[in-house]
Amino acid sequence: MDMVEDVLAGRVRGIARMMSRAEAGGGDCRAALAEIYRHTGRAHVVGLTGVPGSGKSTLARVLARAIRASGRKVGIVAVDPSSPFSGGAILGDRVRMTGLSGDPGVFIRSMATHGAVGGLARASLDSVDILDAAGFDIVVVETVGVGQDEVDILQAAHTVVVLSAPGLGDDIQAIKAGLLEIADIHAVSKCDRADANRTLIDLKGMLTLGVAGGDGWQVPVLPTSAENDEGIGDLLAAIDAHRAHLEDSGGIALRRRRIAETRILGIAEDIVRTRFAGRHDGRLAGLLDRVMAREVDPYAAAMDMLAASRED
Amino acid sequence: MSEKTGVIRVLLAKVGLDGHDRGVKVVARCLRDAGMDVIYTGLHRTPEEVVDAAVQEDVDVLGVSLLSGAHMTILPRMIDLLKKTDADDIILMAGGVMPDEDVAALKKLGVGEVLLQDAPPETIVGTVRRLVAERGPR
């Protein structure tokens, strides 16, 4: 199991190769990943999300620099969407992540969603495990743009940072309603722009309308500007404060449990989905004919599929 | 290449003082449409940055687009860096505008393939697939 040794020793090639194996999802890597999992639990996992173009990758870059300046190692897992048609992907997050190269304390990995929701969570979380076991103190998971897809991955983070960009107008109201529930920290990007104040005021206003969460954490709204390198230190301080709050309040244990629960369920869903796709093409086609002929309803057909997958 | 999903990972880079990225974006798009995961680094990268990124991303193919005429300086440097990092199983490909005699010299040095400005998309996709298949699983 020298690949596990390479990961635990923090060797770049070993880490990178292990991530590829995990992403491929073959059975041969499960034993190695199981061994790696035993060495996890030290890293603080920060989820970074926001609408497309809000500046997640740029923020990840300046945040990584701040983390390095504080003497800690940082891993970044940057997720971009796969094409629903070809399955291919353009992973462009590295375009914004300049100036981090050549530093062994920074590891950046780009990943595609590969369609499956469960697949996204599984492979990305495997990569988080690998970075954790390799000794990275903070792992930043940068999601694709906001939607339903990345709820899984946000439930995988100890601290969730939601990034909003100024100038999104009326649409922001709808977006914020969904985000308020998952944000531990609100950050506003591009605060060198004049209209950023409006966004800050809107977010703060929205937060005062709701009942504060029962865990005693006050969700901060922080202005940032990667352009002028402003607010980044405050953001890192807020992340550290949230971590300290979780540890003091015992909330960290609840989060870890929730993360494990999400992963177990996600992996189980993934296995069922793979079984359906791989082994039941003929059965599905037959059921489809019968559903089309109104002989059975879709619910009964789904139950039939489930029963069949239990048999193998 | 991943055995199960069969997704080929490619990193495309622009290295040095070459600001023309229309070609590399077309290549990125056609590899994406062929079902590959394409990591793009953006303009003005150093050979060190690009090789670092290729190793962390564990790509099958590292593609460098060069229209600046600096290919005989930059590509040998990248071959050296890949060897030094013990990562010379990553296939190096080059694309752009280069004289024929340089193409022959580069291939002798270890560049997997050089595709010039008139290479059609299917040739690019086919070449990537062929080189990855020839290398075999890692």
Side-chain angles (χ1 to χ4, degrees), chain A residues 86-148:
Chain A
S86 72
I90 303 276
L91 310 175
D93 294 323
R94 271 185 179 271
V95 174
R96 325 279 171 213
M97 295 187 195
T98 52
L100 297 170
S101 183
D103 177 355
V106 181
F107 191 105
I108 304 169
R109 181 68 169 217
S110 313
M111 303 189 82
T113 53
H114 289 294
V117 178
L120 159 69
R122 180 175 49 75
S124 308
L125 295 187
D126 285 341
S127 289
V128 172
D129 277 353
I130 293 165
L131 289 168
D132 185 344
F136 289 86
D137 302 292
I138 296 182
V139 180
V140 178
V141 181
E142 181 199 328
T143 71
V144 296
V146 173
Q148 199 125 43

Side-chain angles (χ1 to χ4, degrees), chain A residues 12-13, chain B residues 51-52 55 80-88:
Chain A
V12 176
R13 277 233 90 182
Chain B
V51 168
D52 253 23
V55 170
D80 277 354
L81 285 166
L82 282 169
K83 279 188 187 144
K84 236 188 264 171
T85 333
D86 194 24
D88 47 356

Side-chain angles (χ1 to χ4, degrees), chain A residues 19-34:
Chain A
M19 285 178 173
S20 301
R21 295 276 169 91
E23 192 170 22
D28 53 327
C29 67
R30 298 281 18 133
L33 285 171

Side-chain angles (χ1 to χ4, degrees), chain A residues 35-172:
Chain A
E35 177 63 21
I36 284 167
Y37 186 75
R38 293 175 359 111
H39 295 272
T40 60
R42 277 171 304 175
H44 191 69
V45 183
V46 177
L48 179 58
T49 192
V51 297
S54 53
K56 295 181 292 295
S57 303
T58 304
L59 188 71
R61 178 190 74 210
V62 288
L63 185 60
R65 271 203 217 128
I67 293 168
R68 287 300 290 142
S70 74
R72 289 173 286 181
K73 293 170 73 178
V74 56
I76 300 173
V77 178
V79 187
D80 266 335
S82 294
S83 159
F85 303 110
S86 72
I90 303 276
L91 310 175
D93 294 323
R94 271 185 179 271
V95 174
R96 325 279 171 213
M97 295 187 195
T98 52
L100 297 170
S101 183
D103 177 355
V106 181
F107 191 105
I108 304 169
R109 181 68 169 217
S110 313
M111 303 189 82
T113 53
H114 289 294
V117 178
L120 159 69
R122 180 175 49 75
S124 308
L125 295 187
D126 285 341
S127 289
V128 172
D129 277 353
I130 293 165
L131 289 168
D132 185 344
F136 289 86
D137 302 292
I138 296 182
V139 180
V140 178
V141 181
E142 181 199 328
T143 71
V144 296
V146 173
Q148 199 125 43
D149 256 357
E150 74 285 358
V151 171
D152 265 6
I153 204 139
L154 288 172
Q155 284 184 342
H158 303 131
T159 300
V160 175
V161 178
V162 175
L163 188 61
S164 302
L168 292 181
D170 288 347
D171 290 344
I172 199 151

Side-chain angles (χ1 to χ4, degrees), chain A residues 13 20 86 89 91 94 110, chain B residues 32 38 45 56-58 89:
Chain A
R13 277 233 90 182
S20 301
S86 72
L91 310 175
R94 271 185 179 271
S110 313
Chain B
R32 185 202 85 174
V38 182
R45 294 295 115 91
Q56 290 187 353
E57 299 287 359
D58 192 36
D89 56 316

Side-chain angles (χ1 to χ4, degrees), chain B residues 13-18 42 44-47 50 64-66 68 74 78:
Chain B
K14 293 290 297 184
V15 181
L17 297 173
D18 174 1
H44 309 310
R45 294 295 115 91
T46 65
V50 169
V64 184
S65 158
L66 283 162
S68 61
I74 287 168
M78 296 188 71

